[in-house]
Amino acid sequence: MRLLIIEDDESLASTLSRRLTKQGFICNVAHTSQQALVLAEQITPTHLLLDMKLADENGMALLTPLRGLLPQCHIVLLTGFASIATAVEAMRLGANDYLTKPVDMPTLVNALCPNTDLPTEVVSASDTVMSAERLEWEHIQQVLHCNQGNISATARQLNMHRRTLQRKLQKKPVKR
């Protein structure tokens, strides 16, 4: 199983590659859309993990050319900002699955290889299920990071009053 990971965050790409190698994949990594298309043609992966946001590019724009190059490839789109509209659009453009970050390894492996019994890392149930408070905190942190720490812009994007956001940011993150 040859897997091409298309992710602009080098540390996340490296972590995914290490973990998925343990699951039996032969992993290759691309950090830009140009690298992705070249590698896809060279290695003809059987599976593809595509980030929706690649620096200033939209990963969904790669779905059509990748599907043209790799008609039999199983493509999973990863995103930090999920919506029903983007999920529908991703499937229409050729993605086989659509997952929201953060994603646990069993869910990711199952999305990459549905209906197979691949061995997955031993993970306790408490590690795979996050509380709603933890998910909210992580989402706020992602949006804050995307807005380069700008509280007002983050509050507007989250449709939240700025003071409410400041109070939430002062709290310590809840345990997973």
Side-chain angles (χ1 to χ4, degrees):
M1 295 182 302
R2 292 177 310 281
L3 172 66
L4 176 56
I5 300 169
I6 306 169
E7 170 64 63
D8 62 329
D9 181 342
E10 292 183 23
S11 62
L12 177 59
S14 176
T15 301
L16 287 170
S17 179
R18 271 193 322 275
R19 288 185 158 192
L20 290 166
T21 297
K22 290 179 184 175
Q23 302 299 325
F25 290 95
I26 299 166
C27 297
N28 291 279
V29 177
H31 300 294
T32 65
S33 58
Q34 293 83 11
Q35 285 179 344
L37 292 170
V38 168
L39 269 175
E41 199 165 8
Q42 288 175 351
I43 65 170
T44 58
T46 57
H47 298 79
L48 204 136
L49 188 57
L50 172 63
D51 187 20
M52 190 158 115
K53 188 170 176 353
L54 297 171
D56 295 332
E57 302 173 85
N58 186 341
M60 281 211 301
L62 279 176
L63 283 171
T64 302
L66 286 169
R67 185 51 75 199
L69 280 173
L70 310 162
Q72 301 303 315
C73 186
H74 190 86
I75 302 174
V76 175
L77 185 72
L78 268 180
T79 181
F81 309 100
S83 75
I84 293 172
T86 55
V88 169
E89 183 68 8
M91 298 300 189
R92 189 183 69 74
L93 291 172
N96 296 96
D97 212 330
Y98 179 92
L99 297 175
T100 305
K101 295 177 188 175
V103 63
D104 59 72
M105 196 52 53
T107 302
L108 182 56
V109 171
N110 189 45
L112 285 167
C113 298
N115 305 319
T116 60
D117 292 327
L118 287 176
T120 57
E121 297 172 346
V122 177
V123 180
S124 69
S126 63
D127 288 340
T128 61
V129 178
M130 279 194 225
S131 68
E133 292 85 13
R134 178 64 186 205
L135 281 171
E136 177 189 45
W137 188 85
E138 290 199 9
H139 180 66
I140 288 171
Q141 293 301 316
Q142 276 184 329
V143 176
L144 185 63
H145 177 72
C146 288
N147 286 310
Q148 299 162 341
N150 185 321
I151 301 274
S152 296
T154 302
R156 278 191 300 275
Q157 193 170 351
L158 293 171
N159 198 22
M160 182 183 297
H161 193 277
R162 188 177 56 82
R163 300 290 254 160
T164 303
L165 177 60
Q166 286 175 321
R167 279 192 298 277
K168 287 180 183 275
L169 289 170
Q170 288 174 350
K171 293 181 183 178
K172 292 183 181 182
V174 292
K175 296 196 185 236
R176 291 180 184 260

